[in-house]
Amino acid sequence: MAGHRVAHATLKGPSVVKELIIGMALGLAAGGLWKMHHWNEQRKTRAFYDLLERGEISVIPVEE
């Protein structure tokens, strides 16, 4: 029974390169999602103003 050794992982400090790569990947993913959201909102706004210009819809102000 004597002499059995178990390999334990040694704790190291944070890897700067790994953290930079993970941070850039997360930043690019979040930026891509934000741009997709922005393009979708821009498309909806453009469609609204196109319909308004063609006279297919109208905007009536509510008087209070």
Side-chain angles (χ1 to χ4, degrees):
M1 289 295 263
H4 288 125
R5 292 193 170 257
V6 178
H8 293 285
T10 57
L11 297 177
K12 297 187 228 175
S15 171
V16 176
V17 174
K18 185 177 177 182
E19 286 194 20
L20 283 173
I21 291 171
I22 291 172
M24 285 190 289
L26 289 174
L28 286 171
L33 288 173
W34 178 253
K35 285 302 276 185
M36 286 171 37
H37 168 73
H38 177 72
W39 289 333
N40 190 35
E41 290 298 316
Q42 195 175 28
R43 181 186 54 80
K44 286 193 272 187
T45 302
R46 191 176 300 123
F48 171 77
Y49 280 109
D50 286 343
L51 290 172
L52 191 63
E53 189 175 307
R54 284 187 265 160
E56 295 181 24
I57 61 171
S58 62
V59 178
I60 302 170
V62 178
E63 298 197 20
E64 296 179 24

